[in-house]
Amino acid sequence: MAVRTASGNRSLGLDTLVRLQRGLRAPGAPRRLPVPEGMTVPLGCDAVAAPARFGPLVMPRLPRVGCVYADDAHWWWIVPSDSDYALEWPAPARYATGAVVPDAPGLPCLIHRPDGTVPYTPPIPLYLALCRLTDTTPPWSRPVSA
């Protein structure tokens, strides 16, 4: 129920205020992984997620590791935008355009920050490491039928 103030202006009712508050912090609302202060993203910013159990297995397979975020369920690597172009990332890995973390109650924590000013993990070595761990053959290595 809305009420009028002494000046005659209409104020917002309690139901409206509660609905507005829920809209600001709705559970499952997509959130973007933040790039650490002082870093630049000249190639844009996407992310690749893998189940947390793969995280420690992927790291030593990479020639360079950019920003990595983690929560209980996933590890997220920052990659340049459009790193999914012509790549079919192996399941259960997920590609997140714009580094948006869907359905997360909160943002994952930054667990690795590289030296330098760019946050990227090279996408091809990351892709190959995930293919290896998921026992997925990259498309360019699959037999071609005539």
Side-chain angles (χ1 to χ4, degrees), residues 5 25 31 49 51 57 74 77 84 91 96 115-116 119-120 134-135 144:
T5 62
R25 295 270 185 193
R31 295 187 171 119
L57 302 171
H74 295 94
W77 286 265
D84 61 337
D115 295 332
Y120 305 126
T134 60
D135 200 26
V144 177

Side-chain angles (χ1 to χ4, degrees), residues 14 19 23 37 61-62 71 74 76 83 87 102 106 117 119 136 140:
L14 183 58
R19 188 174 64 250
E37 190 173 325
R61 296 173 185 256
L62 299 173
D71 58 24
H74 295 94
W76 300 83
S83 293
L87 285 180
T117 60
T136 302
W140 58 80

Side-chain angles (χ1 to χ4, degrees), residues 76-140:
W76 300 83
W77 286 265
I78 298 292
V79 294
S81 290
D82 300 324
S83 293
D84 61 337
Y85 180 76
L87 285 180
E88 203 175 297
W89 287 83
R94 294 185 306 177
Y95 191 85
T97 303
V100 172
V101 181
D103 304 326
L107 283 174
C109 297
L110 179 66
I111 61 168
H112 183 269
R113 178 184 172 147
D115 295 332
T117 60
V118 292
Y120 305 126
T121 294
I124 298 301
L126 177 60
Y127 176 81
L128 292 172
L130 288 168
C131 282
R132 178 79 177 220
L133 290 170
T134 60
D135 200 26
T136 302
T137 303
W140 58 80

Side-chain angles (χ1 to χ4, degrees), residues 60-77:
R61 296 173 185 256
L62 299 173
R64 180 186 187 284
V65 179
C67 288
V68 181
Y69 298 80
D71 58 24
D72 291 337
H74 295 94
W75 282 32
W76 300 83
W77 286 265

